[in-house]
Amino acid sequence: MNGNQADEISAGMQKYIDASKGYLSERDRYIRDVVKKWRFDTIAVHGLYTVKDAIEDYQGAVIEPIFMSTAQAFRDYDEMAAALAYKIPAWCYSRIANPSTYYYEWTLALLEAYGCDVETSCCSTSSGMAAIMTAVQPFLKIQGDVFEKRNFVATVQCYGGTYHQFTIRLMQEQNIECRWVLDATNLDEWASKIDRHTRFLYGELPSNPQLGFFDIKAVADLAHSHNLPLICDSTIATPALLRPICHGADIVVQSATKSLTSSGFGICGAVIARKNLVTTIDDDQLKNDFSLHIKYQQNRDFGPNLHPLQAVMTLNDMRTLRSKMDLLSRNTMEVARFLEQHPRVESVQYLGLPDHPLHELASRYMWLVDAEYDSQYGKPVNRYGHLLSFCVRGGAEKARIFFDGLDRIWRATDLGRIKSVATIPAISTHQQQGSEARAMANIPANMVRLCVGAEHPDDIIADLDQALHRVE
Ligand SMILES: *Cc1c(COP(=O)(O)O)cnc(C)c1O
């Protein structure tokens, strides 16, 4: 599996390799014949963790164990040699692999490919930012000429941290050009920014906090026509509402910190990639299994790995992802409708509102997974997630009065929580990028980002109403 380790294989190593083949083919069969046939909720609840795994390896534990061990012990010299040459699946060292992160990775790989006939794999990361770094770096490598120009094309409406990573770390520090797409719905703009030095296309959707959106299939087709991959950040949607790989994207990055870990216990991330992706980079392992490639090569050397405790915490939150995203989306819709008619609110941005300019486009992509199999619905239903933003009438000072007046809703630079949380992007998540970049990304100073939780919407609305009444 590791192209750098073509060393000869001893008879002793071969014994271990042969033994692992049975395990791997049985796993493939189980995925294909059993897990791929389950509904979304069943995959979210069980993933690849089986009764057999539990009884044979984990003392029968019903819940995936948290393996807080740095490394695995080996039976002998040959097993260690085979494991460290990546010839057999093993835990080796927790920077590279760990049983707890393994189950987390498989659940996400399967959920992002749910409902489509695509093979995926996943590499866990210590944060969403680490996931983005991990996903983009392999495409930026120098291919020959050290002075070669490199660029990529990305939606300017994106998370503040992503903006910094692309502008400061890549553009300023490494001379890799990020070409921002200002209107992501304009395919011509995407196309006009691609040239022979372009390495990938990158898009966040829905974007945080402006709720930008684009036509994934059209942008993926454009990328592929240039032999480039499309990377999507679909943190805000989660696989319960949107699975970009099923619409042609090649790689998805997740800040699992957000709605995937709605309890808010910690930071974590993931890169999920289709097998056999499209790229101009000449590396077979990278193309065949991108997630495995970054796990075994790049992340081995950079070390942005996920802690096993956090992996199981997130796994636990993900089990109810579908029903949670449904509830949170419905609550948010009610709150959006309330804000929309409030005299002290200038505008509301929520993709679920019919007069939002991107409502129609988002409605083609954002569906509650398996609603047609849900006894409550019995047919497909659109759901738009729990992030909205709105502008308080009268400017930044009025927004401040409103913000300070909130009682129940928490003031924090956070989102995706089971509790409602509000922030002002201009002074928090998007403060450091400056007013010019905020204007480009359409983030006015009186914009409030609100992520609606699982409280009863009446109580959220009452809190918003009393805070808005403090504004003269
Ligand atoms: C929060 C966030 C990130 C960064 O994730 P961390 O887990 O905080 O590192 C990336 N993208 C989006 C859309 C986010 O909301």
Side-chain angles (χ1 to χ4, degrees):
M1 285 186 234
N2 180 349
N4 302 332
Q5 311 255 351
D7 300 354
E8 51 199 79
I9 294 166
S10 70
M13 284 167 79
Q14 192 60 49
K15 190 185 72 190
Y16 284 109
I17 295 168
D18 291 343
S20 75
K21 280 187 187 142
Y23 164 80
L24 289 173
S25 65
E26 171 54 22
R27 186 181 73 186
D28 288 347
R29 187 205 61 80
Y30 182 67
I31 292 169
R32 191 183 58 241
D33 296 347
V34 180
V35 182
K36 281 274 194 185
K37 295 189 171 145
W38 286 341
R39 302 262 190 255
F40 188 92
D41 284 342
T42 312
I43 297 173
V45 169
H46 291 282
L48 277 201
Y49 188 63
T50 61
V51 175
K52 186 165 174 286
D53 287 0
I55 291 184
E56 287 180 3
D57 296 331
Y58 307 130
Q59 313 279 348
V62 172
I63 301 301
E64 297 80 349
I66 298 163
F67 273 83
M68 289 187 41
S69 173
T70 44
Q72 171 190 0
F74 297 106
R75 288 174 181 81
D76 57 20
Y77 180 105
D78 285 327
E79 190 181 28
M80 181 186 262
L84 274 294
Y86 298 147
K87 301 288 185 199
I88 57 171
W91 314 126
C92 304
Y93 190 63
S94 260
R95 170 154 37 76
I96 300 160
N98 171 284
S100 304
T101 55
Y102 170 87
Y103 290 114
Y104 162 90
E105 285 165 348
W106 266 107
T107 300
L108 273 170
L110 292 162
L111 293 183
E112 286 289 356
Y114 180 75
C116 62
D117 190 19
V118 176
E119 252 196 285
T120 47
S121 56
C122 170
C123 176
S124 55
T125 59
S126 55
S127 68
M129 291 320 300
I132 295 167
M133 180 194 76
T134 293
V136 305
Q137 282 292 343
F139 299 110
L140 297 173
K141 64 172 115 187
I142 289 165
Q143 290 258 73
D145 176 4
V146 289
F147 297 111
E148 161 187 36
K149 287 188 192 142
R150 290 165 290 166
N151 72 59
F152 60 97
V153 179
T155 53
V156 74
Q157 296 202 325
C158 65
Y159 177 66
T162 308
Y163 185 85
H164 294 143
Q165 186 177 118
F166 289 175
T167 51
I168 303 172
R169 301 308 145 213
L170 296 181
M171 277 216 273
Q172 293 170 24
E173 295 185 353
Q174 295 183 50
N175 198 30
I176 296 163
E177 190 189 355
C178 172
R179 299 182 168 175
W180 294 116
V181 173
L182 302 185
D183 176 6
T185 62
N186 181 350
L187 208 60
D188 293 337
E189 189 183 343
W190 285 94
S192 72
K193 299 203 160 142
I194 300 171
D195 65 20
R196 67 196 176 87
H197 303 296
T198 304
R199 297 297 183 86
F200 60 86
L201 308 189
Y202 183 97
E204 183 175 315
L205 84 168
S207 73
N208 168 12
Q210 322 87 332
L211 300 167
F213 210 87
F214 59 87
D215 186 341
I216 307 170
K217 184 162 187 318
V219 175
D221 287 347
L222 175 70
H224 297 160
S225 73
H226 292 270
N227 218 9
L228 300 173
L230 170 64
I231 304 173
C232 290
D233 180 340
S234 76
T235 295
I236 301 305
T238 81
L241 306 183
L242 175 68
R243 292 173 301 289
I245 290 175
C246 297
H247 300 289
D250 299 274
I251 297 172
V252 165
V253 290
Q254 283 287 351
S255 167
T257 313
K258 309 295 166 51
S259 308
L260 291 172
T261 315
S262 53
S263 58
F265 278 131
I267 304 288
C268 71
V271 177
I272 302 98
R274 71 165 67 233
K275 301 269 182 82
N276 303 314
L277 53 74
V278 172
T279 171
T280 53
I281 303 291
D282 185 19
D283 183 323
D284 285 342
Q285 190 197 40
L286 181 152
K287 284 181 197 162
N288 296 346
D289 193 340
F290 182 77
S291 301
L292 197 70
H293 174 74
I294 53 185
K295 176 186 275 292
Y296 280 175
Q297 306 287 330
Q298 174 183 287
N299 285 12
R300 172 196 65 190
D301 305 337
F302 286 136
N305 64 297
L306 179 59
H307 193 280
L309 173 62
Q310 186 58 48
V312 175
M313 294 245 195
T314 301
L315 203 52
N316 219 33
D317 275 343
M318 286 191 319
R319 299 187 213 276
T320 50
L321 184 67
R322 191 187 72 92
S323 45
K324 210 155 39 189
M325 290 309 285
D326 182 25
L327 172 69
L328 295 167
S329 300
R330 283 186 284 131
N331 286 357
T332 310
M333 193 69 198
E334 279 194 47
V335 170
R337 289 222 167 92
F338 162 78
L339 289 169
E340 193 184 33
Q341 52 72 47
H342 202 288
R344 286 172 185 153
V345 171
E346 186 179 281
S347 62
V348 182
Q349 291 83 43
Y350 184 56
L351 292 170
L353 291 175
D355 57 4
H356 190 287
L358 297 173
H359 175 73
E360 231 173 278
L361 178 61
S363 302
R364 275 169 37 206
Y365 285 103
M366 296 191 68
W367 299 94
L368 175 66
V369 65
D370 284 351
E372 57 273 43
Y373 307 115
D374 189 323
S375 56
Q376 194 183 346
Y377 302 118
K379 62 175 193 334
V381 294
N382 283 118
R383 287 290 179 261
Y384 303 91
H386 58 141
L387 183 69
L388 65 78
S389 59
F390 63 98
C391 294
V392 178
R393 198 176 288 288
E397 200 44 43
K398 302 291 185 199
R400 177 198 187 114
I401 296 167
F402 156 80
F403 195 61
D404 288 344
L406 291 171
D407 287 331
R408 183 92 318 97
I409 298 168
W410 300 74
R411 283 172 290 274
T413 51
D414 202 4
L415 67 95
R417 294 299 141 250
I418 200 79
K419 299 180 178 187
S420 293
V421 174
T423 189
I424 301 216
I427 59 158
S428 58
T429 50
H430 292 68
Q431 179 258 325
Q432 290 166 11
Q433 67 193 57
S435 56
E436 200 181 312
R438 281 198 299 274
M440 191 161 71
N442 191 19
I443 298 169
N446 60 334
M447 177 190 270
V448 178
R449 184 183 80 184
L450 175 65
C451 195
V452 178
E455 304 94 340
H456 195 285
D458 290 352
D459 295 322
I460 300 302
I461 287 170
D463 193 26
L464 291 167
D465 197 34
Q466 66 79 24
L468 283 166
H469 271 101
R470 295 172 193 236
V471 180
E472 287 307 314

